[in-house]
Amino acid sequence: KHMDAMISCSNNSKPLMTFLLLIIVLTITNKANGREFQQSNTLFIRSSCSSTTYPKLCYTSLVKHAAFIQTNPLLLTGTALNITLSSAKTTSAAMSTMARTRGMGSREVAAMQDCVEVLADSVQQLGKSIAEMTHLRTSNFERTMSDVQTWVSAALTDDTTCTDGFQVTAVAGDVKTAVRGRIVEVAQLTSNALALINQLANSHA
């Protein structure tokens, strides 16, 4: 009887073992497929960024959103614009705070206030671009992309104006270093976003 019970248990365990093995195989396969899917996404981002002015910054800023972007050029462009807008807003807010810091010289304050005003225009242009992209359709593609290209180009001009203004203004070295680094990054992100927008526009040419 004891032997019969062992045989019965062994026979009953075969379907269970088969099921467990199937789960293990599926888990390994899904992980492998997941890695391939993620690799495909990151390769797409790297390839798209290779034609931008600052490819390393482009890749590092976008790769963390690879699961969302996947291999979709529209999502890639929209994400780049949102990252740029966020950076411009953060930089503008930081400069406004610094301008109110005690001990800040009048030249530094004036330079930062001018830059904040210019960045506000950049933020507006980027915001309009993002809003317009949500209405992108096949029927209005060329007109929409033309508007977005114009607005992001204007935002880049604003960023460059701010960067150049800080470069030539007699601002204390430590302040110039702290602020200029932020502004330069905004300008570079804007330049990259514009390059990706141009890619998207040309893909439908």
Side-chain angles (χ1 to χ4, degrees):
K1 289 183 179 179
H2 182 66
M3 182 63 69
D4 290 342
M6 289 181 63
I7 293 172
S8 176
C9 181
S10 176
N11 290 336
N12 290 335
S13 68
K14 286 182 180 179
L16 178 60
M17 289 298 294
T18 302
F19 180 68
L20 290 174
L21 285 171
L22 179 61
I23 290 177
I24 292 170
V25 170
L26 287 174
T27 301
I28 293 172
T29 302
N30 287 336
K31 285 184 177 180
N33 289 339
R35 283 195 297 271
E36 289 177 7
F37 180 71
Q38 184 69 11
Q39 191 174 39
S40 174
N41 297 344
T42 56
L43 285 174
F44 168 71
I45 293 171
R46 190 181 296 280
S47 175
S48 300
C49 286
S50 64
S51 60
T52 62
T53 312
Y54 309 97
K56 184 177 180 180
L57 176 63
C58 176
Y59 179 76
T60 56
S61 65
L62 290 169
V63 71
K64 64 190 74 173
H65 306 287
F68 170 72
I69 294 169
Q70 299 181 31
T71 57
N72 188 313
L74 184 58
L75 293 179
L76 177 76
T77 305
T79 302
L81 280 171
N82 275 288
I83 290 171
T84 305
L85 177 60
S86 177
S87 180
K89 285 181 175 180
T90 301
T91 298
S92 180
M95 291 181 67
S96 295
T97 300
M98 288 181 69
R100 295 192 297 269
T101 303
R102 287 185 178 182
M104 186 75 69
S106 58
R107 287 178 177 175
E108 285 89 344
V109 171
M112 274 194 271
Q113 287 177 340
D114 289 344
C115 211
V116 167
E117 290 179 11
V118 173
L119 282 177
D121 186 59
S122 178
V123 166
Q124 184 180 20
Q125 302 289 353
L126 291 168
K128 283 198 302 183
S129 300
I130 292 169
E132 190 71 1
M133 289 286 286
T134 63
H135 303 297
L136 188 64
R137 302 288 185 274
T138 303
S139 58
N140 64 7
F141 185 87
E142 290 185 7
R143 177 180 57 79
T144 299
M145 292 307 298
S146 178
D147 287 342
V148 171
Q149 286 171 312
T150 299
W151 293 332
V152 178
S153 293
L156 180 57
T157 300
D158 290 332
D159 299 340
T160 303
T161 299
C162 183
T163 305
D164 293 345
F166 243 88
Q167 185 67 23
V168 300
T169 304
V171 178
D174 55 340
V175 175
K176 180 179 289 189
T177 300
V179 174
R180 191 172 182 277
R182 286 175 172 268
I183 302 168
V184 166
E185 182 171 287
V186 174
Q188 291 178 351
L189 286 170
T190 307
S191 175
N192 287 342
L194 181 59
L196 295 175
I197 289 166
N198 291 338
Q199 278 185 37
L200 181 62
N202 293 334
S203 69
H204 285 70

